Amino acid sequence: MSKDTAATRAQFRRLDRDGNGTLSYRELSRLLKKLNPSFSATQLQTLFCEIDANQNGKVELDEFLDFILDNKKSKPAEDREPPEGKALASDVRDEWKQATLDAHNRLRALHGCPPLTWSDECYIEAKKQANACQARGSLFHDHLQGPSGRHGQNGYWCSAPGSTAEVATESWYDEITDPGYNFDKPGFTGGTGHFTQVVWKDTTSVGMAVSEDGKFIFANYLPAVTSWGGSQRTSRDRAPTQWPGAQHRPLLSLSLRWPVVQTQSLPKR
């Protein structure tokens, strides 16, 4: 065994605070955040999802060694089941639509932004992308083009199914403080693009969808404003403004940051 391998194994044991032989999202995030303090929650989710090759919600030693020593993603022992369903707007429950709008519009109101309306077009592309992430086993962006043009897009991953529209939207919004949005220089910047999309004033509609396995949540937006959407206008009348209400919003549970295992069945959304 090389010195590098031995040192990496020792690091794994130190990170494994509960001693169960695997690393949870929370345990590994401590290391990733130490390596790069500017990582946002979504960026941490993306990295964890890449390292967790078999998508079981925890990182085993072999996966950790592959990532640290070789910077590569382990190959799962078994092939994943691909999504089988199609993206149909008729499948979306009214409760999910309302939850999506409430989650966004409550936060947009803190910045004086007009409320969003539901978009079937955005939902269809978001659903396609959520299922594409399930099939690949990683968090990435695609399905950004629809009949109305280029979409903006936010993505979220959790190690266990059951996350709500509110949890995902709050995770994107929390980039306002981690890594932090610069209101003196408004517009799109790396690390805060998800927050910017949630509260961008020109955006008028949203559609949010969940992958069939319940682990990936995507929202598509029109008009687009993030780097994926191609519109990077930074004029102050369109960018989010610092708003007194944003300093006093109610805090939600820690599930915003750390995935929580939930076992309820997943309805159409």
Side-chain angles (χ1 to χ4, degrees):
M1 182 186 300
S2 69
K3 290 184 178 180
D4 287 344
T5 300
T8 304
R9 286 176 176 269
Q11 184 180 44
F12 181 90
R13 290 192 294 270
R14 288 194 298 271
L15 292 171
D16 182 18
R17 295 193 175 188
D18 58 11
N20 68 351
T22 64
L23 299 183
S24 67
Y25 174 72
R26 187 169 191 169
E27 288 170 333
L28 186 58
S29 291
R30 291 191 181 100
L31 172 64
L32 297 175
K33 196 73 173 176
K34 185 177 181 180
L35 293 175
N36 188 342
S38 67
F39 275 146
S40 68
T42 303
Q43 289 169 324
L44 291 173
Q45 292 164 12
T46 302
L47 278 171
F48 188 93
C49 191
E50 286 293 322
I51 301 168
D52 179 21
N54 60 14
Q55 289 293 286
N56 65 354
K58 52 192 175 184
V59 171
E60 285 85 10
L61 177 59
D62 288 345
E63 293 171 332
F64 186 76
L65 291 173
D66 282 343
F67 175 72
I68 296 297
L69 296 178
D70 299 322
N71 193 27
K72 70 179 183 180
K73 183 177 178 181
S74 302
K75 184 177 180 180
E78 298 180 3
D79 291 336
R80 297 183 192 89
E81 289 295 326
E84 297 179 356
K86 295 182 179 180
L88 300 175
S90 58
D91 286 342
V92 188
R93 296 175 298 120
D94 290 339
E95 293 84 355
W96 177 254
K97 294 180 181 180
Q98 193 59 53
T100 297
L101 296 177
D102 289 346
H104 281 81
N105 292 336
R106 177 177 63 84
L107 297 173
R108 288 174 63 84
L110 298 177
H111 298 268
C113 300
L116 302 180
T117 59
W118 179 265
S119 166
D120 286 342
E121 175 185 331
C122 287
Y123 166 80
I124 289 172
E125 298 307 315
K127 184 68 171 179
K128 291 177 182 177
Q129 184 54 28
N131 282 342
C133 287
Q134 175 185 334
R136 184 185 293 187
S138 64
L139 190 65
F140 68 100
H141 291 278
D142 199 359
H143 292 99
L144 299 166
Q145 193 71 34
S148 299
R150 190 81 167 167
H151 292 198
Q153 188 178 82
N154 283 347
Y156 173 88
W157 170 85
C158 184
S159 61
S163 294
T164 65
E166 186 178 35
V167 165
T169 307
E170 279 275 357
S171 176
W172 301 325
Y173 182 87
D174 279 355
E175 291 177 352
I176 186 176
T177 56
D178 185 9
Y181 184 82
N182 188 349
F183 287 97
D184 293 329
K185 296 180 179 180
F188 173 82
T189 56
T192 60
H194 303 90
F195 160 76
T196 306
Q197 179 64 91
V198 169
V199 297
W200 195 264
K201 293 180 180 178
D202 267 10
T203 298
T204 60
S205 56
V206 62
M208 181 184 280
V210 183
S211 61
E212 288 185 14
D213 66 0
K215 295 182 179 181
F216 297 91
I217 299 179
F218 271 80
N220 276 33
Y221 302 84
L222 284 170
V225 297
T226 67
S227 61
W228 308 293
S231 174
Q232 298 186 23
R233 296 172 296 180
T234 58
S235 58
R236 292 183 180 273
D237 62 328
R238 294 183 172 91
T241 55
Q242 202 160 14
W243 202 256
Q247 305 302 318
H248 305 288
R249 66 190 177 96
L251 296 177
L252 298 183
S253 69
L254 288 177
S255 61
L256 297 179
R257 288 298 187 192
W258 314 121
V260 176
V261 175
Q262 302 182 38
T263 58
Q264 69 266 32
S265 60
L266 296 174
K268 293 283 188 178
R269 50 187 175 163

